Amino acid sequence: MESLEELRWDVRGLFAEMAGQYAREDGDRGPALMALGGIGRQEGERVVDLNAPLLGHATREIRDLLKRGDSFGLHIRDVTRAVHLDRDGCLALLASAVDAGYLTAPEDLNKVQHCYNCRTDDCEYHDSRTWTLTPAGRTLAHASGRKPSTRKNADALVAKVVKAAHAINADPDATLWWVKEIRAVGPYADSGTESLLHVDLAVDLRPRLDDPAEQRKAEQRLRDAARDRGERQRVWDMVGYGHWQTRLALAGHSKVVRMFHPANDVEGPPLFREERDLTVSAKATAPYQRPTEVPHKACSWCGRQVQAARVAQRGAPLASSPIGLCAQCLSLGWTDDLQYQGSSEVWPWGAIRELRAKLPEEPLHSSGCALCGREDAVEQPWWPGDRRDGSGRGEPVALRLCDVCPGLLELVDSPGRDGWWCARHEHACMAGMRALLHRRAGVEEVALSARKARKLPRLTALHREVLARVDEHGALSALDLDRAPGSQSHQDYCWWEVRLAHLFDHRLIAMVRAGGAEERSLVRATSSLERDLSAQLGALYTPGPIWDGERVIEPAPPAGWAALRDQADQEAARLDREALGRRADHPVPEAPRGRWG
């Protein structure tokens, strides 16, 4: 049986061998050290101008194409889906990539590929020939467009790392690791280098406990405590949870700072050194056992005496949570910011439809709300308002419900509710359910951090071309683009819908409405006035139900909002008429299709 130290060096040797096997060519290389976090960080990174021409395309397109084949290679169908070319053009592009040294052509490239599925030769859908990436192609596939850092910015980053090292060593029990030494290596060690792609640091981390077995048990306790706080998907690491937290405290998710294990002969300017020995003797403890999860014996929402899983918001302790939900209410109230004991897959549709049919005949409570028992409940007809189709149609069901439970059951107060209203109603009821659960249990809700605004997708030349075609014909649909001349075989209806979605995100196009009813198939270009009015309306008031802290209500719009909405509707109607008129004068051409479309 090998010792722990021998096994550790064997693992390091395996990592170094794999790193050398998959190292990229033509890119920036780190020092000949093992990455502190395991496989991956020691690989080089190449920075290129993504807008520069390459093989007749933008470098970004070639890079994205090569990235598709990084693992298993490229098939001809992968290329036809990625670039705006037909089959012959894709074969020519692949040949150019082979000549440039990015790909290796298949050995049977010149042989006829007979397809036994459709009984034809050279079938692109069943062509199994594979172009594999060369080391240069792998480097370009993972190339970045970011600019190198300056020496001044690099020094500022290193100062933050050194400050974090002091903080870690001030409380080494928090992560069970401490920093012995940090040295500058690679290009950063050369004071004359001003342009730095990476800041390479050799970081010597030491365990807090001298006994590896006790260190491992202590890290397991840290990991389970993090699991209890809701970090279920982020607590696993190749070395240990505490080791990962220490690395995260030093450099975070920085793409510039790279940390490596120091070798015995590593040389470089010292940036930080701990004179104290913070490794302490460990006392022998009993074998570690993960704490058992004890469920509740009653549901905190419906009040039934059944087994209920503990529920808590992410960031709050789960094992000691006083809130528990049965399988039925867990399905009704499941949201992304809740964690609970058990499987991570919750499917609410079955429970919702079962309760809709059962509650009128067998309410869970004889008085108050039929579902949760709250006294403030009214019996009235409710209509299905599934937000997935926004229909609001169907046979009504008579139920005695409070203001929160209708949204949990996907019911609405009147027929014909739009999909956006159903979605906001359900969200408001979910917020009310969480607030009431915490209020009954006597615990405070965890303040949710504001979500970052989603970054708008990049508009390419193809998207601008589609916008120009919308302007030319006034109004068109994804089906029009699919049937138009020049549309390739891979550019089907769904493919064009994704491109139109980019323009929707930038509010450059809008749906055409005919007679007040939204026509979902045709889109038209928007005007600057329409976009300004839409932004003003959104900043002033958002229609739909909300949870006000006590009830689910639908507040009335403020003064002046209705007039502003009428102005926006008039502008939209004017643009709709112009778009439909231009479409009639300049119809979208349609290419003749053969037997196979």
Side-chain angles (χ1 to χ4, degrees), residues 412-436:
V412 295
D413 54 0
S414 60
R417 286 293 191 182
D418 293 328
W420 64 266
W421 193 97
C422 299
R424 285 186 59 82
H425 182 233
E426 182 176 345
H427 182 270
C429 293
M430 293 287 184
M433 178 186 184
R434 291 196 301 271
L436 292 174

Side-chain angles (χ1 to χ4, degrees), residues 167-236:
I168 291 170
N169 289 354
D171 185 16
D173 291 323
T175 60
L176 296 175
W177 290 81
W178 59 282
V179 185
K180 177 65 178 177
E181 186 181 56
I182 300 177
R183 286 182 177 269
V185 292
Y188 182 68
D190 183 5
S191 59
T193 305
E194 291 295 331
S195 180
L196 297 167
L197 184 60
H198 292 108
V199 176
D200 295 327
L201 304 176
V203 182
D204 186 5
L205 294 183
R206 303 290 178 89
R208 176 63 167 167
L209 305 178
D210 60 352
D211 187 348
E214 295 300 324
Q215 174 78 13
R216 185 165 54 252
K217 286 189 285 186
E219 290 218 38
Q220 287 177 336
R221 286 190 286 269
L222 277 184
R223 182 194 64 198
D224 287 337
R227 184 189 296 272
D228 185 49
R229 294 192 303 270
E231 298 181 13
R232 289 175 174 259
Q233 304 297 329
R234 300 183 296 162
V235 301
W236 299 103

Side-chain angles (χ1 to χ4, degrees), residues 251 275 290 314 410 474:
E275 300 298 336
R290 182 178 172 184
R314 298 196 182 278
E410 295 181 356

Side-chain angles (χ1 to χ4, degrees), residues 38-343:
I39 304 174
R41 294 298 296 272
Q42 72 276 10
E43 298 178 353
E45 181 182 7
R46 181 182 177 187
V47 174
V48 297
D49 182 4
L50 296 178
N51 296 320
L54 179 65
L55 304 181
H57 295 260
T59 303
R60 187 190 303 273
E61 293 185 63
I62 302 300
R63 186 218 36 193
D64 295 345
L65 174 62
L66 294 176
K67 190 181 295 185
R68 287 172 174 251
D70 186 26
S71 300
F72 306 103
L74 285 171
H75 294 157
I76 182 64
R77 56 182 174 272
D78 299 325
V79 185
T80 56
R81 293 168 183 166
V83 296
H84 193 60
L85 295 173
D86 56 11
R87 177 177 170 81
D88 293 336
C90 291
L91 288 173
L93 177 59
L94 288 172
S96 301
V98 171
D99 295 339
Y102 299 126
L103 294 174
T104 300
E107 297 180 356
D108 56 348
L109 177 60
N110 297 322
K111 295 181 181 179
V112 176
Q113 297 289 315
H114 181 74
C115 179
Y116 292 93
N117 295 71
C118 58
R119 306 295 181 180
T120 59
D121 293 335
D122 294 329
C123 174
E124 63 179 293
Y125 297 103
H126 304 97
D127 194 340
S128 60
R129 292 176 296 184
T130 304
W131 282 257
T132 57
L133 269 66
T134 63
R138 189 177 296 110
T139 299
L140 181 58
H142 292 269
S144 171
R146 67 182 181 88
K147 297 180 181 180
S149 179
T150 62
R151 169 67 61 169
K152 180 179 179 181
N153 292 337
D155 291 339
L157 288 174
V158 171
K160 292 182 180 179
V161 174
V162 172
K163 182 179 179 181
H166 284 289
I168 291 170
N169 289 354
D171 185 16
D173 291 323
T175 60
L176 296 175
W177 290 81
W178 59 282
V179 185
K180 177 65 178 177
E181 186 181 56
I182 300 177
R183 286 182 177 269
V185 292
Y188 182 68
D190 183 5
S191 59
T193 305
E194 291 295 331
S195 180
L196 297 167
L197 184 60
H198 292 108
V199 176
D200 295 327
L201 304 176
V203 182
D204 186 5
L205 294 183
R206 303 290 178 89
R208 176 63 167 167
L209 305 178
D210 60 352
D211 187 348
E214 295 300 324
Q215 174 78 13
R216 185 165 54 252
K217 286 189 285 186
E219 290 218 38
Q220 287 177 336
R221 286 190 286 269
L222 277 184
R223 182 194 64 198
D224 287 337
R227 184 189 296 272
D228 185 49
R229 294 192 303 270
E231 298 181 13
R232 289 175 174 259
Q233 304 297 329
R234 300 183 296 162
V235 301
W236 299 103
D237 190 79
M238 296 179 64
V239 185
Y241 178 77
H243 196 274
W244 172 68
Q245 283 284 6
T246 306
R247 301 196 317 265
L248 198 64
L250 285 173
H253 298 285
S254 174
K255 296 182 179 180
V256 178
V257 177
R258 301 192 301 186
M259 298 185 296
F260 299 88
H261 281 296
N264 294 330
D265 56 349
V266 64
E267 296 182 359
L271 304 174
F272 171 84
R273 182 172 181 82
E274 180 60 67
E275 300 298 336
R276 300 169 295 170
D277 186 1
L278 299 180
T279 299
V280 297
S281 299
K283 297 180 179 179
T285 60
Y288 176 75
Q289 292 184 352
R290 182 178 172 184
T292 58
E293 298 176 342
V294 181
H296 281 279
K297 296 183 179 180
C299 179
S300 301
W301 184 250
C302 66
R304 295 181 298 170
Q305 297 297 319
V306 294
Q307 183 171 321
R310 293 184 185 271
V311 176
Q313 286 182 280
R314 298 196 182 278
L318 178 61
S320 59
S321 174
I323 303 173
L325 294 177
C326 63
Q328 168 190 281
C329 295
L330 184 65
S331 299
L332 298 180
W334 174 256
T335 53
D336 292 338
D337 57 344
L338 286 180
Q339 54 163 333
Y340 73 105
Q341 296 174 350
S343 170

